[in-house]
Amino acid sequence: MNEENIKQNSWKAWLLAVRPKTLTGAAVPVMIGCALAHVDAQAYGDDVFNWLSASLCLLFALVMQIDANLINDFFDYAHGNDDSATRLGPLRACTQGWVSLDAMKRAIALTTCVACVAGLPLIIFGGLEMILVGICCVAFCFLYTTHLSYLGLGDILVLIFFGIVPVCITYYIQLHTVTPSVAIASVACGLVIDSLLIVNNYRDRDNDQRVGKVTLAVRIGPLWTERLYLLLGVASCLLGIVFWYQGHPLAFFLPLIYLVLHVFSWLKLRHINHGRRLNECLGETARNMLLYGIMVSVGLLLL
C-alpha cells in the first residue's frame, strides 16, 4: 500500500488506523481460553461448550483491540508524542493526516459502542458480573494511553488485560469456574503478549524519555529490557509445564517451537539495538505470539 497517496478518511486510511497486525494480540488469549474450556468441558458432557459465546468473546476482544488502537492513535497525537520526523514505529493515521481528528473521535465512540453491544449478550452466559468486566476493559483502553503508560504500568496492564482477564473470562463463560491451571496458563499468555510491548518500548525508549513517557524500558535501560524480552519467552514456556501435569504434554512441547523463534528474535533485537529496523523484530514478535497461541491450542486439543 502506497502510504504517500492516501486520501483522508478513505478506507485505506482506516485500514492503517485499525492496525490489523495487532489483532493477533486480542485473538490469542481467547483462542487459548476456548481450547482450555473445550478440553475441560468433556468432563461435563458433549454439549457444554457453547460456540456462540466463544464467538462473542472473540468479537468483543477484536473490537476492543481496534478501539484501543484508535484511542492510542488519537491521544498520542494530542499529547505530542507522535512526530512524523522522529517516529520510529509504523506511521499513525492522525499524525499523517490520513484520518481527521473529528472522524477519529467519532470512530472511537462507534467502536466503543460496538464493543459494548457485542459483549452485552455475554451476560446471558457469564452472569451480571460480565458488566463489570466490560467496564474495566473499556476503562483500560482509555486509561492506558492517556495516563497509565506514562507511569510505566503498561506491562502490568498487558499481563492483566491480554492474559489473565481474556483467558480466564473466556473459560469462565463456558464452565463458570476458573481452575489454578487456567490461571497459570493466562499468566503465560500475558507474558508472551507483553513481549510485543517490550519491543515497542525498546525501540521508542529515546523518544519516550524525551517526552516524559516513563515506560519500563526507560526505567530499566536497554540491556535489562533485552534480558526481559528473552525472559518473557522462557518463563511462558516453563509455565506450560502445567499442561503436561494436566495430561497434555503436547501443549508443553509444541510451544518450544515458539521459544526457538523467540530466541532468534531476541538475538536480532540485540544486534539492531536502535532505529526503525527494530520494526522487523516487532513483526517477528507478533508472528511468534500467534504461533504460541496456535501451538498451545493444538497441543491441548490433540490429546
Side-chain angles (χ1 to χ4, degrees), residues 11-294:
W11 70 268
K12 289 183 179 180
W14 285 112
L15 182 61
L16 289 167
V18 165
R19 308 180 211 170
K21 292 181 181 180
T22 66
L23 298 183
T24 56
V28 165
V30 176
M31 183 193 310
I32 292 175
C34 285
L36 288 164
H38 191 275
V39 169
D40 291 350
Q42 297 174 9
Y44 295 85
D46 294 336
D47 299 326
V48 171
F49 189 88
N50 188 286
W51 287 102
L52 175 59
S53 62
S55 300
L56 289 172
C57 285
L58 179 61
L59 178 62
F60 177 77
L62 293 175
V63 178
M64 286 304 303
Q65 179 65 63
I66 293 172
D67 198 28
N69 290 342
L70 299 181
I71 292 168
N72 177 257
D73 197 309
F74 177 83
F75 282 102
D76 271 0
Y77 175 75
H79 286 158
N81 291 350
D82 274 344
D83 183 342
S84 58
T86 60
R87 180 171 179 81
L88 299 176
L91 299 177
R92 293 289 175 255
C94 286
T95 303
Q96 299 301 122
W98 298 331
V99 173
S100 67
L101 296 184
D102 286 341
M104 186 62 82
K105 289 178 183 177
R106 291 193 293 270
I108 291 170
L110 177 62
T111 52
T112 302
C113 290
V114 170
C116 292
V117 170
L120 193 61
L122 291 174
I123 296 173
I124 300 172
F125 304 99
L128 291 175
E129 53 266 42
M130 294 301 106
I131 296 176
L132 179 60
V133 173
I135 291 173
C136 289
C137 290
V138 172
F140 160 72
C141 272
F142 283 90
L143 291 176
Y144 171 76
T145 295
T146 56
H147 293 89
L148 299 177
S149 62
Y150 288 81
L151 303 175
L153 298 175
D155 300 273
I156 295 175
L157 292 172
V158 166
L159 177 62
I160 295 172
F161 286 96
F162 284 89
I164 297 171
V165 169
V167 173
C168 291
I169 294 300
T170 300
Y171 185 93
Y172 178 83
I173 285 172
Q174 295 293 337
L175 301 179
H176 302 285
T177 187
V178 174
T179 65
S181 60
V182 171
I184 293 172
S186 72
V187 172
C189 178
L191 294 178
V192 168
I193 294 178
D194 187 46
S195 63
L196 195 66
L197 181 63
I198 291 293
V199 177
N200 188 76
N201 290 342
Y202 178 81
R203 180 199 62 210
D204 294 339
R205 61 191 185 274
D206 293 334
N207 286 341
D208 286 341
Q209 190 168 23
R210 176 176 53 83
V211 299
K213 187 175 183 179
V214 189
T215 63
L216 184 60
V218 171
R219 288 184 184 275
I220 67 177
L223 179 60
W224 279 103
T225 303
E226 293 166 4
R227 292 171 177 173
L228 179 60
Y229 178 84
L230 177 62
L231 180 61
L232 290 176
V234 173
S236 62
C237 288
L238 288 177
L239 288 173
I241 291 175
V242 69
F243 301 131
W244 194 356
Y245 178 76
Q246 293 291 328
H248 303 284
L250 283 179
F252 170 72
F253 285 110
L254 287 179
L256 295 181
I257 300 172
Y258 150 82
L259 183 58
V260 171
L261 295 177
H262 182 78
V263 170
F264 279 117
S265 298
W266 168 69
L267 292 172
K268 178 180 279 191
L269 183 82
R270 293 181 62 203
H271 175 71
I272 296 174
N273 189 264
H274 268 91
R276 288 186 172 86
R277 277 198 62 208
L278 285 169
N279 289 323
E280 297 175 20
C281 300
L282 197 69
E284 288 184 8
T285 302
R287 175 205 64 194
N288 300 345
M289 185 173 67
L290 178 60
L291 180 64
Y292 174 84
I294 294 172

